[in-house]
Amino acid sequence: MQQNNTPYTSLVALGDSFTEGMSDALPDGSYRGWADVLAGRLAARAPGFRYANLAVRGKLIGQIVDEQVDLAATMGADVVTLVGGLNDTLRPKCDLNEVCDRLEEAVTRLAPSCRRLVLMRSPARRGPVAMRFLPRMERLFAHLETLGQRHGAVVVDLFGAEVLGDSRLWADDRLHLNAEGHRRVAEAVWQTLGHEPAEDWRAALPPAVPAPWPVRQAGHLRFAREHLVPWIGRRLTGRSSGDGLPPKRAELLPYEA
């Protein structure tokens, strides 16, 4: 990516829990996440930098388009990031044609409204769940590449970075990145926007030391009780973890750490 010498003055982030920042938890119980980290770094280069984050956990691509895209397009930000569709692929029933159509609708609306539109091939924790839905994900990601080429957007390949599949970069719920994972995503987008690298965000972690079998089993049971069962319950009842929640940062306002 060519070096960027003109500071970006504003950022609007759209999406679901990934962009909201789960599970990069702060001491007060709120979430930071890669978009907040990126905003802070961009703000350090541009006095008066403004930032909005319209993401809400659990949103499907149709909801992102209907609830976030038009608002983002009217903000006229320098940088817009759009990440969505992965929640759809994890549903038992998923109309991928519809998902791709809604993504194209979003990109067509957003690309002319900003200086740089950023799309992403979302990361996935390596394991049986990701492998089960891999065909859907690959089709989604291929469509993103096509949209990027067609509309002049950049696509950050997080899925292709082996380190982001490492379980040590994921939270206990096995669905969201932890603080280190989010930090690496922020660095990936930073570099994609043409800024000088601060580090190699793809660098592998040190070799893992396997935990004893009882510890692993206890972790599996805790995951099932605290995360998997509630997730299944929401799927069966048609509820979402984001029901009733407002956007993380609904207005394009000056950034404050």
Side-chain angles (χ1 to χ4, degrees), residues 49 59 129 149 240 247:
F49 182 86
K59 292 299 183 182
V129 174
Q149 295 171 8
S240 167

Side-chain angles (χ1 to χ4, degrees), residues 8-15 19 34-36 38-39 42 49-55 64 67-83 110 113-120 189 193 247 249-253:
Y8 294 109
T9 62
S10 51
L11 165 68
V12 177
L14 294 79
T19 301
W34 66 266
D36 284 14
L38 177 65
L42 292 173
F49 182 86
R50 297 176 299 152
Y51 170 49
N53 190 324
L54 307 181
I64 293 172
E67 300 168 12
Q68 301 177 25
V69 167
D70 282 346
L71 176 58
T74 64
M75 290 179 173
D78 275 356
V79 179
V80 173
T81 66
L82 170 66
V83 187
L110 292 170
S113 76
C114 62
R115 181 172 151 199
R116 176 62 72 193
L117 176 61
V118 179
L119 310 175
M120 299 185 204
V189 182
L193 291 174
R249 188 180 172 99
E251 299 180 74
L252 188 60
L253 297 173

Side-chain angles (χ1 to χ4, degrees), residues 1-5 8 34 38 41-42 79-81 115-121 145 152-158 184-199 201-202:
M1 179 62 66
Q2 184 177 0
Q3 293 278 317
N4 172 46
N5 296 317
Y8 294 109
W34 66 266
L38 177 65
R41 294 181 67 179
L42 292 173
V79 179
V80 173
T81 66
R115 181 172 151 199
R116 176 62 72 193
L117 176 61
V118 179
L119 310 175
M120 299 185 204
R121 287 163 48 97
E145 295 285 356
V154 294
V155 181
V156 186
D157 185 12
L158 302 174
R184 288 184 181 236
V185 171
E187 176 66 23
V189 182
W190 173 264
Q191 293 181 23
T192 299
L193 291 174
H195 297 303
E196 185 72 25
E199 62 178 313
W201 63 272
R202 299 179 182 86

Side-chain angles (χ1 to χ4, degrees), residues 141-192:
F141 295 156
H143 187 61
L144 282 174
E145 295 285 356
T146 299
L147 291 176
Q149 295 171 8
R150 185 180 301 160
H151 295 276
V154 294
V155 181
V156 186
D157 185 12
L158 302 174
F159 183 79
E162 185 174 351
V163 68
L164 289 181
D166 193 310
S167 62
R168 290 172 289 174
L169 294 185
W170 292 77
D172 290 341
D173 64 5
R174 306 182 184 181
L175 284 174
H176 302 103
L177 293 171
N178 59 23
E180 174 63 12
H182 278 283
R183 190 183 66 79
R184 288 184 181 236
V185 171
E187 176 66 23
V189 182
W190 173 264
Q191 293 181 23
T192 299

